[in-house]
Amino acid sequence: MLRSVAHLLAPRARRSPSSGRAPAVASTRLTVPAGLHTGLGCDAVGVPARFGFKILSRLPAKGCVYADTDWWWWLVPAGSDLDLAWPLPACYAPGAEIPDRGPRLIHHPDGTSPYTPPIPLYLLACQLTGVAPAWPAPQVRTAL
């Protein structure tokens, strides 16, 4: 299931005794460095920092990667969550809008694409979290 990035700060957020609700979470949109083409739109996939180096070192192709003290984020083409359930604790962020913890660019791609291919990233996230990859069942079309 997809999760909102707001949950990332929920464990740290203090709840108001009067309302019982967590305070609003500040967010930021990851910015793509100049000269990179974003014709496919941008979403982001985040993982806890403990998985960051393992994933980065094993990816065959790497796009823009951002990090803060707790999370690493990879830019992927928009819609890379369609028919995929990213394994927990991975987090999918539509529009590359993430909690504002001061992320900084830690990897710039060699080419002109800012994207990390989502399927290798998904498979590595599954492998590191011990979750079996799940693919949607093929749609069977019947003739009328």
Side-chain angles (χ1 to χ4, degrees), residues 41-87:
C42 283
D43 289 347
V45 174
V47 298
R50 69 182 180 273
F51 297 123
F53 281 115
K54 290 176 184 176
I55 290 177
L56 187 63
S57 67
R58 295 176 185 174
L59 282 170
K62 304 163 188 78
C64 292
V65 182
Y66 302 80
D68 58 45
T69 57
D70 298 319
W71 287 82
W72 285 39
W73 298 91
W74 280 261
L75 285 185
V76 293
S80 294
D81 60 335
L82 296 177
D83 293 329
L84 286 181
W86 288 86

mmCIF file of all heavy atoms in Angstrom, residues 41-87:
data_model
loop_
_atom_site.group_PDB
_atom_site.id
_atom_site.type_symbol
_atom_site.label_atom_id
_atom_site.label_comp_id
_atom_site.label_asym_id
_atom_site.label_seq_id
_atom_site.Cartn_x
_atom_site.Cartn_y
_atom_site.Cartn_z
ATOM 1 N N GLY A 41 8.001 13.947 -15.674
ATOM 2 C CA GLY A 41 7.549 14.351 -14.350
ATOM 3 C C GLY A 41 8.447 13.727 -13.288
ATOM 4 O O GLY A 41 9.298 12.905 -13.602
ATOM 5 N N CYS A 42 8.269 14.133 -12.053
ATOM 6 C CA CYS A 42 9.138 13.614 -10.991
ATOM 7 C C CYS A 42 8.353 13.193 -9.762
ATOM 8 O O CYS A 42 7.541 13.958 -9.253
ATOM 9 C CB CYS A 42 10.152 14.679 -10.558
ATOM 10 S SG CYS A 42 11.500 14.888 -11.695
ATOM 11 N N ASP A 43 8.610 12.005 -9.319
ATOM 12 C CA ASP A 43 8.192 11.518 -8.018
ATOM 13 C C ASP A 43 9.478 11.123 -7.303
ATOM 14 O O ASP A 43 10.563 11.203 -7.886
ATOM 15 C CB ASP A 43 7.256 10.309 -8.150
ATOM 16 C CG ASP A 43 5.875 10.673 -8.688
ATOM 17 O OD1 ASP A 43 5.539 11.879 -8.743
ATOM 18 O OD2 ASP A 43 5.124 9.753 -9.062
ATOM 19 N N ALA A 44 9.372 10.703 -6.072
ATOM 20 C CA ALA A 44 10.556 10.272 -5.329
ATOM 21 C C ALA A 44 10.233 9.032 -4.516
ATOM 22 O O ALA A 44 9.098 8.824 -4.097
ATOM 23 C CB ALA A 44 11.048 11.392 -4.413
ATOM 24 N N VAL A 45 11.248 8.215 -4.322
ATOM 25 C CA VAL A 45 11.148 7.043 -3.458
ATOM 26 C C VAL A 45 12.177 7.227 -2.358
ATOM 27 O O VAL A 45 13.353 7.465 -2.629
ATOM 28 C CB VAL A 45 11.415 5.736 -4.232
ATOM 29 C CG1 VAL A 45 11.454 4.548 -3.274
ATOM 30 C CG2 VAL A 45 10.368 5.521 -5.312
ATOM 31 N N GLY A 46 11.715 7.140 -1.120
ATOM 32 C CA GLY A 46 12.603 7.298 0.025
ATOM 33 C C GLY A 46 12.755 6.015 0.802
ATOM 34 O O GLY A 46 11.837 5.196 0.864
ATOM 35 N N VAL A 47 13.948 5.861 1.369
ATOM 36 C CA VAL A 47 14.214 4.736 2.268
ATOM 37 C C VAL A 47 14.961 5.272 3.478
ATOM 38 O O VAL A 47 15.651 6.295 3.386
ATOM 39 C CB VAL A 47 15.026 3.607 1.586
ATOM 40 C CG1 VAL A 47 14.282 3.006 0.416
ATOM 41 C CG2 VAL A 47 16.393 4.089 1.165
ATOM 42 N N PRO A 48 14.847 4.601 4.612
ATOM 43 C CA PRO A 48 15.643 5.025 5.757
ATOM 44 C C PRO A 48 17.137 5.023 5.408
ATOM 45 O O PRO A 48 17.598 4.204 4.605
ATOM 46 C CB PRO A 48 15.323 3.973 6.823
ATOM 47 C CG PRO A 48 13.964 3.468 6.442
ATOM 48 C CD PRO A 48 13.962 3.479 4.938
ATOM 49 N N ALA A 49 17.870 5.925 6.010
ATOM 50 C CA ALA A 49 19.288 6.098 5.691
ATOM 51 C C ALA A 49 20.086 4.805 5.839
ATOM 52 O O ALA A 49 21.065 4.608 5.114
ATOM 53 C CB ALA A 49 19.879 7.200 6.561
ATOM 54 N N ARG A 50 19.685 3.910 6.708
ATOM 55 C CA ARG A 50 20.443 2.673 6.905
ATOM 56 C C ARG A 50 20.499 1.822 5.638
ATOM 57 O O ARG A 50 21.367 0.967 5.490
ATOM 58 C CB ARG A 50 19.896 1.874 8.081
ATOM 59 C CG ARG A 50 18.531 1.260 7.862
ATOM 60 C CD ARG A 50 18.042 0.511 9.113
ATOM 61 N NE ARG A 50 16.749 -0.085 8.937
ATOM 62 C CZ ARG A 50 15.595 0.534 9.159
ATOM 63 N NH1 ARG A 50 15.583 1.781 9.582
ATOM 64 N NH2 ARG A 50 14.452 -0.103 8.985
ATOM 65 N N PHE A 51 19.563 2.023 4.703
ATOM 66 C CA PHE A 51 19.566 1.293 3.435
ATOM 67 C C PHE A 51 20.235 2.070 2.299
ATOM 68 O O PHE A 51 20.467 1.533 1.223
ATOM 69 C CB PHE A 51 18.129 0.964 3.000
ATOM 70 C CG PHE A 51 17.393 0.063 3.933
ATOM 71 C CD1 PHE A 51 16.191 0.471 4.479
ATOM 72 C CD2 PHE A 51 17.872 -1.187 4.264
ATOM 73 C CE1 PHE A 51 15.482 -0.359 5.337
ATOM 74 C CE2 PHE A 51 17.172 -2.027 5.136
ATOM 75 C CZ PHE A 51 15.978 -1.603 5.670
ATOM 76 N N GLY A 52 20.506 3.352 2.511
ATOM 77 C CA GLY A 52 20.958 4.228 1.433
ATOM 78 C C GLY A 52 22.181 3.762 0.676
ATOM 79 O O GLY A 52 22.152 3.607 -0.551
ATOM 80 N N PHE A 53 23.297 3.548 1.364
ATOM 81 C CA PHE A 53 24.534 3.149 0.683
ATOM 82 C C PHE A 53 24.388 1.798 0.003
ATOM 83 O O PHE A 53 24.917 1.587 -1.088
ATOM 84 C CB PHE A 53 25.713 3.104 1.659
ATOM 85 C CG PHE A 53 26.289 4.453 1.979
ATOM 86 C CD1 PHE A 53 26.212 4.954 3.263
ATOM 87 C CD2 PHE A 53 26.905 5.224 1.000
ATOM 88 C CE1 PHE A 53 26.732 6.198 3.572
ATOM 89 C CE2 PHE A 53 27.435 6.460 1.294
ATOM 90 C CZ PHE A 53 27.349 6.952 2.583
ATOM 91 N N LYS A 54 23.671 0.878 0.639
ATOM 92 C CA LYS A 54 23.491 -0.447 0.041
ATOM 93 C C LYS A 54 22.761 -0.344 -1.290
ATOM 94 O O LYS A 54 23.147 -0.979 -2.272
ATOM 95 C CB LYS A 54 22.725 -1.361 0.993
ATOM 96 C CG LYS A 54 23.515 -1.757 2.213
ATOM 97 C CD LYS A 54 22.671 -2.587 3.153
ATOM 98 C CE LYS A 54 23.446 -2.895 4.422
ATOM 99 N NZ LYS A 54 22.641 -3.609 5.399
ATOM 100 N N ILE A 55 21.705 0.437 -1.320
ATOM 101 C CA ILE A 55 20.949 0.584 -2.567
ATOM 102 C C ILE A 55 21.774 1.335 -3.604
ATOM 103 O O ILE A 55 21.886 0.903 -4.751
ATOM 104 C CB ILE A 55 19.599 1.280 -2.306
ATOM 105 C CG1 ILE A 55 18.673 0.338 -1.521
ATOM 106 C CG2 ILE A 55 18.945 1.706 -3.626
ATOM 107 C CD1 ILE A 55 17.343 0.937 -1.134
ATOM 108 N N LEU A 56 22.371 2.444 -3.227
ATOM 109 C CA LEU A 56 23.143 3.247 -4.181
ATOM 110 C C LEU A 56 24.263 2.433 -4.816
ATOM 111 O O LEU A 56 24.487 2.513 -6.023
ATOM 112 C CB LEU A 56 23.702 4.492 -3.495
ATOM 113 C CG LEU A 56 24.384 5.499 -4.408
ATOM 114 C CD1 LEU A 56 23.385 6.078 -5.416
ATOM 115 C CD2 LEU A 56 25.012 6.619 -3.588
ATOM 116 N N SER A 57 24.955 1.621 -4.029
ATOM 117 C CA SER A 57 26.088 0.868 -4.557
ATOM 118 C C SER A 57 25.664 -0.278 -5.467
ATOM 119 O O SER A 57 26.457 -0.741 -6.286
ATOM 120 C CB SER A 57 26.950 0.325 -3.414
ATOM 121 O OG SER A 57 26.244 -0.648 -2.675
ATOM 122 N N ARG A 58 24.418 -0.726 -5.372
ATOM 123 C CA ARG A 58 23.970 -1.883 -6.159
ATOM 124 C C ARG A 58 23.151 -1.514 -7.391
ATOM 125 O O ARG A 58 22.851 -2.398 -8.200
ATOM 126 C CB ARG A 58 23.134 -2.800 -5.268
ATOM 127 C CG ARG A 58 23.951 -3.406 -4.152
ATOM 128 C CD ARG A 58 23.098 -4.231 -3.240
ATOM 129 N NE ARG A 58 23.871 -4.720 -2.108
ATOM 130 C CZ ARG A 58 23.367 -5.370 -1.088
ATOM 131 N NH1 ARG A 58 22.067 -5.632 -1.048
ATOM 132 N NH2 ARG A 58 24.124 -5.772 -0.110
ATOM 133 N N LEU A 59 22.785 -0.266 -7.533
ATOM 134 C CA LEU A 59 21.970 0.122 -8.696
ATOM 135 C C LEU A 59 22.819 0.173 -9.958
ATOM 136 O O LEU A 59 23.916 0.746 -9.956
ATOM 137 C CB LEU A 59 21.339 1.490 -8.472
ATOM 138 C CG LEU A 59 20.123 1.526 -7.569
ATOM 139 C CD1 LEU A 59 19.745 2.969 -7.246
ATOM 140 C CD2 LEU A 59 18.954 0.804 -8.211
ATOM 141 N N PRO A 60 22.306 -0.386 -11.065
ATOM 142 C CA PRO A 60 23.054 -0.331 -12.327
ATOM 143 C C PRO A 60 23.056 1.073 -12.943
ATOM 144 O O PRO A 60 23.988 1.445 -13.641
ATOM 145 C CB PRO A 60 22.316 -1.322 -13.225
ATOM 146 C CG PRO A 60 20.941 -1.401 -12.646
ATOM 147 C CD PRO A 60 21.078 -1.155 -11.176
ATOM 148 N N ALA A 61 22.035 1.850 -12.685
ATOM 149 C CA ALA A 61 21.940 3.225 -13.179
ATOM 150 C C ALA A 61 21.402 4.076 -12.040
ATOM 151 O O ALA A 61 20.512 3.650 -11.313
ATOM 152 C CB ALA A 61 21.012 3.313 -14.390
ATOM 153 N N LYS A 62 21.967 5.263 -11.899
ATOM 154 C CA LYS A 62 21.589 6.116 -10.781
ATOM 155 C C LYS A 62 21.234 7.506 -11.277
ATOM 156 O O LYS A 62 21.982 8.110 -12.027
ATOM 157 C CB LYS A 62 22.730 6.230 -9.773
ATOM 158 C CG LYS A 62 23.226 4.906 -9.239
ATOM 159 C CD LYS A 62 24.586 5.079 -8.594
ATOM 160 C CE LYS A 62 25.229 3.780 -8.214
ATOM 161 N NZ LYS A 62 25.825 3.074 -9.327
ATOM 162 N N GLY A 63 20.112 8.010 -10.814
ATOM 163 C CA GLY A 63 19.723 9.379 -11.104
ATOM 164 C C GLY A 63 20.091 10.264 -9.931
ATOM 165 O O GLY A 63 21.036 9.984 -9.192
ATOM 166 N N CYS A 64 19.317 11.308 -9.731
ATOM 167 C CA CYS A 64 19.548 12.214 -8.605
ATOM 168 C C CYS A 64 19.183 11.509 -7.304
ATOM 169 O O CYS A 64 18.122 10.901 -7.198
ATOM 170 C CB CYS A 64 18.700 13.473 -8.749
ATOM 171 S SG CYS A 64 19.195 14.520 -10.116
ATOM 172 N N VAL A 65 20.070 11.620 -6.332
ATOM 173 C CA VAL A 65 19.825 11.054 -5.013
ATOM 174 C C VAL A 65 20.027 12.171 -3.996
ATOM 175 O O VAL A 65 21.019 12.902 -4.050
ATOM 176 C CB VAL A 65 20.776 9.881 -4.695
ATOM 177 C CG1 VAL A 65 20.461 9.284 -3.322
ATOM 178 C CG2 VAL A 65 20.695 8.814 -5.778
ATOM 179 N N TYR A 66 19.071 12.296 -3.089
ATOM 180 C CA TYR A 66 19.093 13.322 -2.051
ATOM 181 C C TYR A 66 19.112 12.623 -0.700
ATOM 182 O O TYR A 66 18.591 11.528 -0.559
ATOM 183 C CB TYR A 66 17.854 14.210 -2.148
ATOM 184 C CG TYR A 66 17.702 14.876 -3.482
ATOM 185 C CD1 TYR A 66 17.176 14.190 -4.572
ATOM 186 C CD2 TYR A 66 18.093 16.191 -3.669
ATOM 187 C CE1 TYR A 66 17.048 14.795 -5.805
ATOM 188 C CE2 TYR A 66 17.963 16.810 -4.899
ATOM 189 C CZ TYR A 66 17.440 16.103 -5.966
ATOM 190 O OH TYR A 66 17.321 16.702 -7.185
ATOM 191 N N ALA A 67 19.688 13.274 0.293
ATOM 192 C CA ALA A 67 19.723 12.665 1.623
ATOM 193 C C ALA A 67 19.612 13.729 2.699
ATOM 194 O O ALA A 67 20.027 14.882 2.511
ATOM 195 C CB ALA A 67 21.015 11.873 1.812
ATOM 196 N N ASP A 68 19.019 13.326 3.802
ATOM 197 C CA ASP A 68 19.072 14.111 5.039
ATOM 198 C C ASP A 68 19.572 13.139 6.099
ATOM 199 O O ASP A 68 20.058 12.053 5.759
ATOM 200 C CB ASP A 68 17.720 14.753 5.365
ATOM 201 C CG ASP A 68 16.580 13.755 5.513
ATOM 202 O OD1 ASP A 68 16.778 12.712 6.178
ATOM 203 O OD2 ASP A 68 15.487 14.009 4.990
ATOM 204 N N THR A 69 19.490 13.484 7.340
ATOM 205 C CA THR A 69 20.056 12.615 8.368
ATOM 206 C C THR A 69 19.331 11.286 8.507
ATOM 207 O O THR A 69 19.934 10.305 8.925
ATOM 208 C CB THR A 69 20.063 13.320 9.745
ATOM 209 O OG1 THR A 69 18.733 13.712 10.062
ATOM 210 C CG2 THR A 69 20.973 14.520 9.736
ATOM 211 N N ASP A 70 18.050 11.233 8.141
ATOM 212 C CA ASP A 70 17.257 10.025 8.359
ATOM 213 C C ASP A 70 16.829 9.282 7.101
ATOM 214 O O ASP A 70 16.530 8.094 7.168
ATOM 215 C CB ASP A 70 15.992 10.373 9.152
ATOM 216 C CG ASP A 70 16.315 10.932 10.521
ATOM 217 O OD1 ASP A 70 17.238 10.417 11.171
ATOM 218 O OD2 ASP A 70 15.640 11.892 10.941
ATOM 219 N N TRP A 71 16.732 9.969 5.970
ATOM 220 C CA TRP A 71 16.182 9.374 4.751
ATOM 221 C C TRP A 71 17.037 9.689 3.537
ATOM 222 O O TRP A 71 17.658 10.746 3.457
ATOM 223 C CB TRP A 71 14.756 9.896 4.496
ATOM 224 C CG TRP A 71 13.780 9.306 5.443
ATOM 225 C CD1 TRP A 71 13.524 9.710 6.729
ATOM 226 C CD2 TRP A 71 12.948 8.176 5.211
ATOM 227 N NE1 TRP A 71 12.589 8.898 7.291
ATOM 228 C CE2 TRP A 71 12.212 7.948 6.389
ATOM 229 C CE3 TRP A 71 12.753 7.339 4.113
ATOM 230 C CZ2 TRP A 71 11.295 6.916 6.499
ATOM 231 C CZ3 TRP A 71 11.832 6.313 4.234
ATOM 232 C CH2 TRP A 71 11.116 6.104 5.414
ATOM 233 N N TRP A 72 17.031 8.750 2.567
ATOM 234 C CA TRP A 72 17.618 8.943 1.238
ATOM 235 C C TRP A 72 16.470 8.883 0.240
ATOM 236 O O TRP A 72 15.566 8.048 0.370
ATOM 237 C CB TRP A 72 18.618 7.847 0.927
ATOM 238 C CG TRP A 72 19.919 7.978 1.651
ATOM 239 C CD1 TRP A 72 20.128 8.375 2.940
ATOM 240 C CD2 TRP A 72 21.200 7.681 1.112
ATOM 241 N NE1 TRP A 72 21.456 8.335 3.233
ATOM 242 C CE2 TRP A 72 22.145 7.912 2.137
ATOM 243 C CE3 TRP A 72 21.647 7.235 -0.120
ATOM 244 C CZ2 TRP A 72 23.502 7.716 1.941
ATOM 245 C CZ3 TRP A 72 22.999 7.038 -0.302
ATOM 246 C CH2 TRP A 72 23.919 7.287 0.715
ATOM 247 N N TRP A 73 16.536 9.751 -0.778
ATOM 248 C CA TRP A 73 15.454 9.876 -1.762
ATOM 249 C C TRP A 73 16.006 9.784 -3.184
ATOM 250 O O TRP A 73 16.972 10.449 -3.517
ATOM 251 C CB TRP A 73 14.751 11.221 -1.598
ATOM 252 C CG TRP A 73 14.118 11.381 -0.256
ATOM 253 C CD1 TRP A 73 14.670 11.927 0.869
ATOM 254 C CD2 TRP A 73 12.812 10.965 0.112
ATOM 255 N NE1 TRP A 73 13.769 11.879 1.908
ATOM 256 C CE2 TRP A 73 12.619 11.296 1.469
ATOM 257 C CE3 TRP A 73 11.761 10.358 -0.586
ATOM 258 C CZ2 TRP A 73 11.451 11.034 2.145
ATOM 259 C CZ3 TRP A 73 10.583 10.095 0.093
ATOM 260 C CH2 TRP A 73 10.437 10.432 1.436
ATOM 261 N N TRP A 74 15.357 8.970 -4.015
ATOM 262 C CA TRP A 74 15.714 8.814 -5.417
ATOM 263 C C TRP A 74 14.608 9.410 -6.275
ATOM 264 O O TRP A 74 13.423 9.140 -6.040
ATOM 265 C CB TRP A 74 15.835 7.330 -5.772
ATOM 266 C CG TRP A 74 17.129 6.712 -5.364
ATOM 267 C CD1 TRP A 74 18.211 6.483 -6.174
ATOM 268 C CD2 TRP A 74 17.505 6.225 -4.075
ATOM 269 N NE1 TRP A 74 19.221 5.904 -5.447
ATOM 270 C CE2 TRP A 74 18.815 5.728 -4.156
ATOM 271 C CE3 TRP A 74 16.857 6.169 -2.844
ATOM 272 C CZ2 TRP A 74 19.493 5.186 -3.075
ATOM 273 C CZ3 TRP A 74 17.524 5.632 -1.761
ATOM 274 C CH2 TRP A 74 18.823 5.145 -1.875
ATOM 275 N N LEU A 75 14.988 10.203 -7.285
ATOM 276 C CA LEU A 75 13.985 10.696 -8.231
ATOM 277 C C LEU A 75 13.653 9.583 -9.205
ATOM 278 O O LEU A 75 14.554 8.904 -9.726
ATOM 279 C CB LEU A 75 14.515 11.907 -9.009
ATOM 280 C CG LEU A 75 14.584 13.218 -8.266
ATOM 281 C CD1 LEU A 75 15.009 14.348 -9.225
ATOM 282 C CD2 LEU A 75 13.268 13.588 -7.611
ATOM 283 N N VAL A 76 12.364 9.390 -9.429
ATOM 284 C CA VAL A 76 11.868 8.409 -10.389
ATOM 285 C C VAL A 76 10.831 9.109 -11.265
ATOM 286 O O VAL A 76 10.293 10.148 -10.889
ATOM 287 C CB VAL A 76 11.245 7.181 -9.677
ATOM 288 C CG1 VAL A 76 12.309 6.388 -8.927
ATOM 289 C CG2 VAL A 76 10.107 7.580 -8.758
ATOM 290 N N PRO A 77 10.555 8.552 -12.457
ATOM 291 C CA PRO A 77 9.514 9.161 -13.287
ATOM 292 C C PRO A 77 8.168 9.152 -12.571
ATOM 293 O O PRO A 77 7.864 8.239 -11.787
ATOM 294 C CB PRO A 77 9.465 8.262 -14.522
ATOM 295 C CG PRO A 77 10.791 7.570 -14.553
ATOM 296 C CD PRO A 77 11.197 7.409 -13.110
ATOM 297 N N ALA A 78 7.365 10.158 -12.825
ATOM 298 C CA ALA A 78 6.024 10.226 -12.229
ATOM 299 C C ALA A 78 5.244 8.962 -12.588
ATOM 300 O O ALA A 78 5.355 8.442 -13.694
ATOM 301 C CB ALA A 78 5.287 11.460 -12.723
ATOM 302 N N GLY A 79 4.476 8.468 -11.640
ATOM 303 C CA GLY A 79 3.659 7.285 -11.871
ATOM 304 C C GLY A 79 4.394 5.976 -11.624
ATOM 305 O O GLY A 79 3.866 4.910 -11.938
ATOM 306 N N SER A 80 5.579 6.027 -11.059
ATOM 307 C CA SER A 80 6.339 4.803 -10.798
ATOM 308 C C SER A 80 5.738 3.973 -9.668
ATOM 309 O O SER A 80 6.273 2.933 -9.310
ATOM 310 C CB SER A 80 7.803 5.142 -10.477
ATOM 311 O OG SER A 80 8.434 5.701 -11.602
ATOM 312 N N ASP A 81 4.634 4.426 -9.135
ATOM 313 C CA ASP A 81 3.935 3.667 -8.101
ATOM 314 C C ASP A 81 2.765 2.871 -8.679
ATOM 315 O O ASP A 81 2.148 2.094 -7.965
ATOM 316 C CB ASP A 81 3.421 4.599 -7.004
ATOM 317 C CG ASP A 81 2.451 5.638 -7.511
ATOM 318 O OD1 ASP A 81 2.496 5.974 -8.713
ATOM 319 O OD2 ASP A 81 1.647 6.140 -6.716
ATOM 320 N N LEU A 82 2.488 3.043 -9.958
ATOM 321 C CA LEU A 82 1.349 2.340 -10.549
ATOM 322 C C LEU A 82 1.574 0.835 -10.501
ATOM 323 O O LEU A 82 2.599 0.334 -10.961
ATOM 324 C CB LEU A 82 1.124 2.788 -11.997
ATOM 325 C CG LEU A 82 0.753 4.253 -12.165
ATOM 326 C CD1 LEU A 82 0.620 4.612 -13.631
ATOM 327 C CD2 LEU A 82 -0.536 4.570 -11.416
ATOM 328 N N ASP A 83 0.634 0.138 -9.916
ATOM 329 C CA ASP A 83 0.656 -1.317 -9.794
ATOM 330 C C ASP A 83 1.824 -1.853 -8.974
ATOM 331 O O ASP A 83 2.156 -3.033 -9.071
ATOM 332 C CB ASP A 83 0.652 -1.984 -11.177
ATOM 333 C CG ASP A 83 -0.650 -1.765 -11.915
ATOM 334 O OD1 ASP A 83 -1.698 -1.645 -11.240
ATOM 335 O OD2 ASP A 83 -0.634 -1.716 -13.150
ATOM 336 N N LEU A 84 2.482 -1.011 -8.185
ATOM 337 C CA LEU A 84 3.549 -1.475 -7.300
ATOM 338 C C LEU A 84 3.230 -1.073 -5.874
ATOM 339 O O LEU A 84 2.846 0.057 -5.614
ATOM 340 C CB LEU A 84 4.898 -0.846 -7.673
ATOM 341 C CG LEU A 84 5.605 -1.332 -8.922
ATOM 342 C CD1 LEU A 84 6.919 -0.592 -9.092
ATOM 343 C CD2 LEU A 84 5.849 -2.832 -8.866
ATOM 344 N N ALA A 85 3.428 -1.991 -4.966
ATOM 345 C CA ALA A 85 3.318 -1.681 -3.546
ATOM 346 C C ALA A 85 4.752 -1.623 -3.021
ATOM 347 O O ALA A 85 5.382 -2.656 -2.820
ATOM 348 C CB ALA A 85 2.514 -2.750 -2.823
ATOM 349 N N TRP A 86 5.279 -0.416 -2.868
ATOM 350 C CA TRP A 86 6.652 -0.262 -2.381
ATOM 351 C C TRP A 86 6.715 -0.832 -0.970
ATOM 352 O O TRP A 86 5.854 -0.562 -0.147
ATOM 353 C CB TRP A 86 7.067 1.209 -2.429
ATOM 354 C CG TRP A 86 7.290 1.655 -3.832
ATOM 355 C CD1 TRP A 86 6.345 2.118 -4.704
ATOM 356 C CD2 TRP A 86 8.518 1.648 -4.550
ATOM 357 N NE1 TRP A 86 6.921 2.396 -5.922
ATOM 358 C CE2 TRP A 86 8.254 2.118 -5.853
ATOM 359 C CE3 TRP A 86 9.822 1.285 -4.216
ATOM 360 C CZ2 TRP A 86 9.250 2.241 -6.825
ATOM 361 C CZ3 TRP A 86 10.812 1.413 -5.181
ATOM 362 C CH2 TRP A 86 10.528 1.884 -6.468
ATOM 363 N N PRO A 87 7.743 -1.641 -0.684
ATOM 364 C CA PRO A 87 7.792 -2.322 0.618
ATOM 365 C C PRO A 87 8.095 -1.368 1.761
ATOM 366 O O PRO A 87 8.886 -0.434 1.618
ATOM 367 C CB PRO A 87 8.931 -3.324 0.437
ATOM 368 C CG PRO A 87 9.842 -2.668 -0.558
ATOM 369 C CD PRO A 87 8.918 -1.936 -1.500
#
